[in-house]
Amino acid sequence: MNKVKIIAIVTCNKGNVRRNNQDNFLLNGAHRIVKLTEDVDCRLESKDEFQMYAVFDGMGGECYGDEAALISNQVAEYYRKNLKDKEIKAASRYLELYFKDANNKICEMMDEKKVSASGSTAAVIWFYKDLFYGANVGDSRIYLFRDNRLEQLSIDHTEQALMEKLHLDKGQSGKNSGLTQYLGIRPEEMVIEPYYFKLRPKNKDILLLCSDGLTGCLDNEAICQVLASSKSIEIAKNRLLQRSLKAKGKDNITIMLLEVRKGWLSSIG
């Protein structure tokens, strides 16, 4: 029977300008869930039937963005640790519950802190029974790199993307346009609508989850070129980070790469 192993690596970097890091990430439980005060690199290899990975970007223009990203991660970790095989009858349904719970927790934090606005993006991948279930809100992205081609699986919830969808003048919205969806929107104001997708992985597929600290510095063509020319995801991660820093981006940078290995044979004896 075919088995799947996922090799996962992540780097979370403050970048060139920010004093603190408002990004956060979940690497299937391999890293303690805390506010990230220092740059972090982490690696994991997992053969678990159920795995969860995510990137969160606290909204830098709002109060307590780092707190919102942390809460998003804490709720994700709760779901990762507490969902049992028998409970996962519809993975997409549990993603819906996760987004609802995380959004409510951030709204509760805003009430406690007496702030009018805060929030976080979320790009989430669940692996279960040989399928990836993905979802996102905001502009943190999920890509698939397969056969030397890069495909964005997530969608951008931004004013710019909305204008392009409606065929309006792109010049009306700048590159760093505001978000139309994120965690931290009060239910009475608007019901969040995450974007969902499902993917059956192939051997040697690479999934990239990242904050806009990467995509604000490198376009899809540049990212694809780095992935295609790198002999390992470790090398690719380092090259993507260095190119982003060299581009003098102002945001925090989180880059997570998941490499799929199908049909592996475990050693015996």
Side-chain angles (χ1 to χ4, degrees), residues 15 20 26 29 61 72 108 123 164 188 204 218 237 250 257:
N20 64 333
L26 177 67
S72 302
E108 290 173 7
E164 292 179 9
E188 61 270 22
K204 298 185 180 179
L218 301 181
K237 177 206 70 173
K250 297 181 180 180
L257 292 166

Side-chain angles (χ1 to χ4, degrees), residues 105-154:
K105 291 292 185 183
I106 293 173
C107 290
E108 290 173 7
M109 178 272 291
M110 290 159 53
D111 290 338
E112 292 173 2
K113 304 287 188 182
K114 294 181 170 58
V115 296
S116 60
S118 184
S120 175
T121 70
V124 184
I125 286 285
W126 287 13
F127 176 77
Y128 180 64
K129 289 189 175 179
D130 203 28
L131 281 174
F132 282 116
Y133 298 86
N136 80 289
V137 289
D139 58 359
S140 294
R141 292 180 179 177
I142 304 173
Y143 291 95
L144 169 67
F145 181 70
R146 175 185 287 173
D147 298 328
N148 285 325
R149 288 181 291 185
L150 187 70
E151 176 187 359
Q152 183 176 335
L153 301 178
S154 59

